[in-house]
Amino acid sequence: MEMDCIENDEIHRNGTYHLSSTKTQGGATVTNSVYELLDCPVCTFSMYPPIHQCHNGHTLCSTCKVRVHNRCPTCRQQLGDIRCLALERVAESLVLPCKYYNLGCPQIFPYYSKLKHESLCNLRPYSCPYAGSECGTVGDIPFLVAHLRDDHKVDMHSGSTFNHRYVKSNPLEVENATWMLTVFHCFGQYFCLHFEAFQLGMGPVYMAFLRFMGDEEDARSYSYSLEVGGSGRKLTWEGTPRSIRDSHRKVRDSNDGLIIQRSMALFFSGGDRKELKLRVTGKVWKEQHNPDSGISIPNISLPDHSVV
């Protein structure tokens, strides 16, 4: 199948990107809807093998074949197990740009390789890092920072050191609790501080960790430390912030952060153990690699202010 040119336009529908193609015949430009043939009529996503069809030739993807209980959504006939091999071969002949080409990705892929790339494309939008509600907002980092500030009312803090106090009455009743996310701006980057309570094994714990608003490769350029204590004791944690490409739950479930057992948290809180009073301090620094020694040297940025 030959195409003389592809228009540089984009149609956004139901979360997928579709290209319309044009073909020049005798000086006239004819619209070609071959890409639309590969859209499943049920979910509207692009179809990948096995592509199924009914006896009347209507097609749909294998996932939706199960969803419609093996009955064609167009003519209501039984689907059976007929493969549309012709359409699968058409798909094999196509090359398409990454759906994030409008965000700057220049790469072009065969039809069947495109999905894998798009799931890993460095220019794909980020998901909202707010934990505590199911937020489906996506966008670039400046957009998400404004979204967190304006829509989620997240506390914004400038500087690489922080000092937060977390208070909770009736801590023995806390099984799952998420404190308000705090966003820090330092070194020209944004970081998210999380603190929450959840069940780990047989007992509840409190956990604090930091996420980097950017990709994993850039996150590895930074380190952070957290400290909590009281009554002459303290716990410290030092690590690398995780990228927000990793979901909040994934980071939490991997235990990649400062974990405080409830008994220790109440000990740090002092008093009669009827109220949680934890003060978590921390700092972020950028690792500067010394080419002569091969040693990473911390670069500490002075804070603008602390949040208590």
Side-chain angles (χ1 to χ4, degrees):
M1 175 181 173
E2 296 182 359
M3 290 182 295
D4 296 301
C5 62
I6 297 180
E7 288 182 340
N8 189 26
D9 66 343
E10 182 180 48
I11 303 170
H12 183 264
R13 183 175 71 228
N14 294 331
T16 61
Y17 294 80
H18 304 266
L19 289 178
S20 61
S21 64
T22 60
K23 190 173 185 179
T24 303
Q25 296 179 343
T29 300
V30 180
T31 301
N32 190 329
S33 60
V34 64
Y35 299 116
E36 294 179 5
L37 294 176
L38 289 163
D39 287 346
C40 174
V42 178
C43 65
T44 74
F45 294 140
S46 298
M47 294 187 288
Y48 292 84
I51 299 175
H52 296 275
Q53 70 175 28
C54 72
H55 290 283
N56 292 323
H58 303 123
T59 58
L60 79 166
C61 70
S62 56
T63 300
C64 290
K65 181 176 182 288
V66 177
R67 291 173 56 189
V68 299
H69 306 292
N70 206 39
R71 187 173 294 277
C72 176
T74 304
C75 66
R76 312 307 299 170
Q77 296 295 314
Q78 285 294 118
L79 286 167
D81 292 311
I82 305 174
R83 291 271 294 276
C84 187
L85 299 179
L87 193 56
E88 290 180 11
R89 285 196 294 268
V90 168
E92 288 178 357
S93 70
L94 298 178
V95 289
L96 300 171
C98 170
K99 74 176 181 180
Y100 303 121
Y101 78 94
N102 62 322
L103 299 179
C105 183
Q107 301 194 55
I108 297 175
F109 298 90
Y111 184 82
Y112 292 143
S113 302
K114 194 167 86 82
L115 270 187
K116 182 178 180 180
H117 162 78
E118 289 170 352
S119 68
L120 302 172
C121 180
N122 287 335
L123 292 171
R124 69 192 189 278
Y126 296 90
S127 298
C128 174
Y130 189 79
S133 68
E134 293 296 328
C135 181
T137 300
V138 298
D140 60 16
I141 299 304
F143 172 81
L144 288 180
V145 169
H147 165 69
L148 289 169
R149 181 192 63 230
D150 300 336
D151 298 332
H152 292 298
K153 309 304 179 185
V154 166
D155 182 29
M156 297 288 171
H157 168 68
S158 295
S160 60
T161 63
F162 46 90
N163 184 347
H164 275 260
R165 190 166 181 245
Y166 299 97
V167 179
K168 184 72 175 180
S169 59
N170 300 322
L172 295 179
E173 298 178 2
V174 174
E175 296 297 335
N176 289 282
T178 300
W179 274 258
M180 182 65 71
L181 175 73
T182 303
V183 172
F184 295 89
H185 183 244
C186 56
F187 306 107
Q189 306 289 347
Y190 290 92
F191 301 82
C192 301
L193 175 64
H194 298 267
F195 186 81
E196 63 180 88
F198 64 98
Q199 197 78 12
L200 181 62
M202 298 299 293
V205 298
Y206 298 92
M207 182 176 179
F209 57 91
L210 207 67
R211 286 200 291 165
F212 174 75
M213 295 188 71
D215 285 322
E216 180 180 356
E217 183 177 352
D218 294 326
R220 289 195 292 264
S221 299
Y222 300 89
S223 296
Y224 76 100
S225 64
L226 297 172
E227 181 177 302
V228 62
S231 302
R233 280 85 170 172
K234 65 181 179 180
L235 286 175
T236 59
W237 162 268
E238 185 173 309
T240 301
R242 296 280 286 272
S243 166
I244 59 171
R245 294 288 191 201
D246 289 335
S247 69
H248 156 265
R249 182 175 292 275
K250 181 178 180 179
V251 179
R252 190 198 73 177
D253 291 349
S254 67
N255 302 325
D256 192 3
L258 175 65
I259 297 177
I260 314 160
Q261 301 291 333
R262 174 180 282 173
S263 59
M264 183 62 72
L266 292 175
F267 177 78
F268 287 155
S269 298
D272 54 9
R273 299 170 64 90
K274 292 183 178 180
E275 187 176 41
L276 178 75
K277 295 179 180 179
L278 284 180
R279 185 177 297 276
V280 178
T281 61
K283 63 183 178 182
V284 182
W285 64 90
K286 185 174 184 179
E287 300 289 354
Q288 286 188 327
H289 186 70
N290 186 331
D292 297 325
S293 64
I295 299 175
S296 293
I297 304 172
N299 179 12
I300 309 284
S301 173
L302 294 177
D304 295 327
H305 62 272
S306 292
V307 177
V308 180

